Amino acid sequence: DIVMTQNPISSPVTLGQPASIFCRSSQSLVHSDGNTYLSWLQQRPGQPPRLLIYKISNRFSGVPDRFSGSGAVTDFTLKISRVEAEDVGIYYCVQSSQLPLTFGGGTKLEIK
Amino acid sequence: EVQLVESGGGLVKPGGSLRLSCVGSGMTFANYSMVWVRQAPGKGLEWVASISASGFNIYYSDSIKGRFSISRDNAKHSLYLEMSSLRGEDTAVYFCAAARTFDYWGQGTLVTVSS
């Protein structure tokens, strides 16, 4: 199974400042079809997860452009250019390149 | 607006059975592969099962294989999860999600396995 490792586990950030969350996979996420199925999800308190970024760097419909994704093969990053209060929650990376689908352990974004 | 609505959760005794449903609207349901994901209380996300858009391809996590069964009825815009031989560790909120890239999520339905 592919293990997804996220860090930090917790990230206290000042409003208006940037934040970065890292995700590393134990194997390459490049699929035989050429795509890399690495997504980023946001889960606000008491809410279901919501898709932010898919296939490394594609922002999903309605997602603010302060969110961006980058990376390749086994190392991936989610960046928030300027953190807002509504960004508080837990962020997960997830790979769907190989079965079983696996999630990172989550990064809790908090406001300082 | 795309909506996925789960139902069927509840309290069940160990060894019991439950059937979860997920109804989609605002989307061409038959075009999407679908996934069940669960989240134990205070824990992270765990993939449970996937089914292709046609229903032909089905995959399960090892933790539930042989006990759970995923299916769909595209005419009814519905996804199902039949759960049997339930254990305490199956206690979780169960979410349905659409597409390989987890585009859309339901609100979840809570399954509690306890005597």
Side-chain angles (χ1 to χ4, degrees):
Chain A
D1 298 3
I2 296 178
V3 177
M4 305 296 288
T5 303
Q6 281 184 239
N7 65 80
I9 293 173
S10 176
S11 180
V13 183
T14 302
L15 287 174
Q17 293 300 301
S20 290
I21 298 170
F22 305 96
C23 177
R24 173 167 287 175
S25 59
S26 60
Q27 300 173 37
S28 169
L29 298 186
V30 180
H31 191 269
S32 57
D33 67 7
N35 290 304
T36 299
Y37 294 98
L38 184 284
S39 300
W40 288 97
L41 309 173
Q42 175 197 60
Q43 189 173 30
R44 291 170 172 152
Q47 294 294 311
R50 162 200 179 199
L51 177 65
L52 296 176
I53 303 287
Y54 64 97
K55 288 195 278 186
I56 302 178
S57 59
N58 296 276
R59 208 176 302 114
F60 190 58
S61 174
V63 174
D65 60 8
R66 64 178 182 276
F67 290 94
S68 64
S70 63
V73 190
T74 61
D75 289 276
F76 308 93
T77 303
L78 175 70
K79 290 183 181 174
I80 310 173
S81 58
R82 293 172 304 279
V83 170
E84 299 189 4
E86 67 178 18
D87 299 336
V88 165
I90 301 177
Y91 292 77
Y92 296 94
C93 60
V94 54
Q95 69 82 19
S96 48
S97 287
Q98 185 181 124
L99 293 167
L101 310 187
T102 47
F103 294 83
T107 295
K108 189 171 187 178
L109 186 75
E110 305 167 303
I111 304 300
K112 274 185 192 173
Chain B
E1 181 197 5
V2 173
Q3 276 200 310
L4 293 171
V5 179
E6 302 95 337
S7 61
L11 175 63
V12 60
K13 289 182 168 51
S17 299
L18 216 51
R19 187 197 202 207
L20 306 183
S21 299
C22 167
V23 179
S25 60
M27 59 191 284
T28 306
F29 186 82
N31 287 354
Y32 287 85
S33 62
M34 297 294 294
V35 178
W36 286 102
V37 173
R38 68 184 180 183
Q39 187 169 37
K43 301 297 185 183
L45 300 168
E46 179 191 13
W47 170 70
V48 173
S50 296
I51 187 167
S52 61
S54 66
F56 186 77
N57 296 304
I58 287 174
Y59 310 98
Y60 297 104
S61 75
D62 284 347
S63 64
I64 57 87
K65 200 174 289 183
R67 300 188 298 122
F68 291 12
S69 176
I70 188 172
S71 62
R72 66 189 296 161
D73 184 337
N74 286 340
K76 295 183 178 178
H77 303 143
S78 293
L79 173 73
Y80 306 103
L81 187 68
E82 296 270 7
M83 305 186 295
S84 63
S85 303
L86 282 161
R87 307 166 181 167
E89 54 263 37
D90 296 318
T91 294
V93 175
Y94 285 73
F95 298 100
C96 63
R100 183 174 193 163
T101 46
F102 305 93
D103 294 10
Y104 304 107
W105 291 72
Q107 288 292 319
T109 187
L110 175 62
V111 172
T112 304
V113 183
S114 175
S115 54

